[in-house]
Amino acid sequence: DAKTTQPPSMDCAEGRAANLPCNHSTISGNEYVYWYRQIHSQGPQYIIHGLKNNETNEMASLIITEDRKSSTLILPHATLRDTAVYYCMHGGSQGNLIFGKGTKLSVKP
Amino acid sequence: DTEVTQTPKHLVMGMTNKKSLKCEQHMGHRAMYWYKQKAKKPPELMFVYSYEKLSINESVPSRFSPECPNSSLLNLHLHALQPEDSALYLCASSQAPRPSAGELFFGEGSRLTVL
């Protein structure tokens, strides 16, 4: 099964950039890296995904290392509403997305 | 419409009851999923339907019975559940036939309590 490694928790000051790392050393060549987040008591929300190149959308930026074994999600200006559990994932051996343990990000005033 | 709607939001049932969880999407997605999430744990994949056919069953006990009546609807029938089955049940859909190939849209979940 696909596995990712993320720090269990991180703090970030409001207005500063939040950089969330993820290791995914078992990723296959054709699998995308996906990031989702889950705000308390809500369903997970898609953030961004990428294959090889860095990606940016209105929510975040995704930096993938050249060997694709790790990535970093960047929230450029974190707000209190970004407090959530952030999950990094890639496809499993049968194509199923498996959630890792995630990083609990706390944005503080 | 980019919503996945789940009903009911909360369900309390006894171990001998039969109940169903429902999920609906109108985005034209051809893949739908059930995930189970225990408190303070990540979601765990249970079932995947692709083009209305069951494509992945993650060794889920038979007391959980999924059904996909059409491309917009997904049900999870519950029978003879145990208290340890109490959890948040999340439904998701995606345009792509496999969850690792496209964005998943999640509903808000149905919180199930088994007494």
Side-chain angles (χ1 to χ4, degrees):
Chain A
D1 288 337
K3 292 193 182 296
T4 58
T5 304
Q6 298 176 255
S9 64
M10 292 181 65
D11 290 341
C12 178
E14 188 178 18
R16 305 298 294 265
N19 296 280
L20 293 90
C22 177
N23 289 323
H24 34 77
S25 58
T26 61
I27 192 169
S28 298
N30 61 349
E31 290 180 336
Y32 284 79
V33 177
Y34 286 86
W35 283 83
Y36 284 74
R37 73 180 182 183
Q38 188 172 24
I39 296 170
H40 183 61
S41 297
Q42 297 182 19
Q45 176 191 23
Y46 165 84
I47 301 173
I48 198 167
H49 72 283
L51 185 62
K52 294 181 181 179
N53 301 320
N54 299 337
E55 302 288 344
T56 296
N57 63 20
E58 64 278 5
M59 290 183 67
S61 294
L62 175 61
I63 309 297
I64 303 173
T65 58
E66 193 168 343
D67 63 6
R68 299 200 343 111
K69 292 185 177 181
S70 65
S71 61
T72 300
L73 179 73
I74 301 172
L75 307 179
H77 306 285
T79 70
L80 299 179
R81 288 176 295 179
D82 292 322
T83 293
V85 178
Y86 287 77
Y87 295 103
C88 163
M89 296 180 286
H90 62 92
S93 58
Q94 297 184 17
N96 47 325
L97 261 181
I98 297 173
F99 283 76
K101 294 182 179 180
T103 295
K104 185 175 182 180
L105 176 68
S106 297
V107 181
K108 305 194 175 187
Chain B
D1 183 0
T2 57
E3 284 191 348
V4 175
T5 305
Q6 291 189 242
T7 55
K9 293 191 185 305
H10 300 274
L11 177 63
V12 179
M13 61 185 292
M15 290 189 285
T16 59
N17 292 155
K18 287 185 179 180
K19 297 286 185 182
S20 298
L21 304 180
K22 298 184 183 300
C23 176
E24 190 169 4
Q25 58 88 12
H26 295 288
M27 294 178 277
H29 290 173
R30 301 314 301 267
M32 297 186 76
Y33 316 85
W34 281 114
Y35 282 82
K36 173 183 177 180
Q37 186 173 27
K38 301 282 283 183
K40 298 186 178 181
K41 297 290 186 182
E44 299 176 17
L45 182 65
M46 300 175 72
F47 302 105
V48 180
Y49 273 83
S50 177
Y51 294 95
E52 301 159 48
K53 293 184 180 179
L54 185 65
S55 61
I56 294 178
N57 177 340
E58 293 285 353
S59 302
V60 179
S62 59
R63 58 185 184 269
F64 296 92
S65 176
E67 177 196 19
C68 190
N70 59 56
S71 60
S72 299
L73 294 174
L74 184 66
N75 299 321
L76 185 63
H77 302 299
L78 315 171
H79 174 55
L81 295 193
Q82 303 296 312
E84 58 265 29
D85 296 322
S86 298
L88 181 68
Y89 288 84
L90 293 160
C91 174
S93 70
S94 69
Q95 188 174 35
R98 296 192 310 174
S100 62
E103 176 186 348
L104 268 66
F105 291 79
F106 282 86
E108 294 300 306
S110 292
R111 188 164 297 281
L112 173 67
T113 302
V114 181
L115 301 177

